Amino acid sequence: MHELSIVEALIRQCEEEAKKNNASLVDEVYVKIGRLSGVEVDLFQRCFETFKENSLFCKKATLFLDVADVTVACVCGFEGILENNIFLCPKCKSKDLKIIDGEELYLMRLCMS
């Protein structure tokens, strides 16, 4: 359940940004979660809803999540989305793929007032 610590860190980061920008509230939090990040989206949302209650700045914040597909590049020149977690190039069947997107978790944007 590492989602708990990730959400705690996210809320802490939101609070720091609100203080730096002299905001009184964080209204919206936009997060991008890669399909291979290891983060359970439903659990992440529930943790956010629970932990925001203890935050002066985030108490009324709405969380918006973008779940990112896995994007890869192959030595054959293919670049695109892997529909399943089968790491073979759809074009040439090579295993020599580079993951371009879909592993990370990013705080994309904050809306504050």
Side-chain angles (χ1 to χ4, degrees):
M1 279 230 325
H2 64 285
E3 287 80 5
L4 295 172
S5 59
I6 294 170
V7 168
E8 283 179 320
L10 172 66
I11 289 177
R12 198 167 37 253
Q13 184 178 8
C14 292
E15 290 172 339
E16 289 169 7
E17 289 300 317
K19 288 176 190 174
K20 276 198 298 193
N21 290 283
N22 296 318
S24 56
L25 283 176
V26 174
D27 302 308
E28 298 175 351
V29 179
Y30 292 82
V31 175
K32 178 180 174 183
I33 299 176
R35 200 173 81 210
L36 294 179
S37 68
V39 174
E40 292 289 329
V41 174
D42 292 338
L43 185 54
F44 186 88
Q45 288 176 306
R46 284 186 301 217
C47 289
F48 184 84
E49 293 303 317
T50 300
F51 281 102
K52 78 177 190 176
E53 295 300 321
N54 297 323
S55 169
L56 293 175
F57 293 99
C58 298
K59 189 175 286 270
K60 296 182 180 181
T62 302
L63 178 65
F64 295 91
L65 295 178
D66 175 25
V67 179
D69 288 321
V70 178
T71 305
V72 297
C74 181
V75 293
C76 75
F78 172 82
E79 187 172 310
I81 294 171
L82 283 184
E83 296 299 324
N84 302 307
N85 290 349
I86 300 171
F87 289 86
L88 294 174
C89 175
K91 184 176 176 185
C92 73
K93 305 301 180 210
S94 171
K95 294 180 184 178
D96 194 8
L97 299 175
K98 177 182 178 190
I99 298 174
I100 297 171
D101 195 19
E103 292 182 301
E104 300 87 4
L105 183 143
Y106 292 114
L107 171 59
M108 301 299 288
R109 182 171 63 160
L110 287 178
C111 295
M112 300 176 273
S113 56

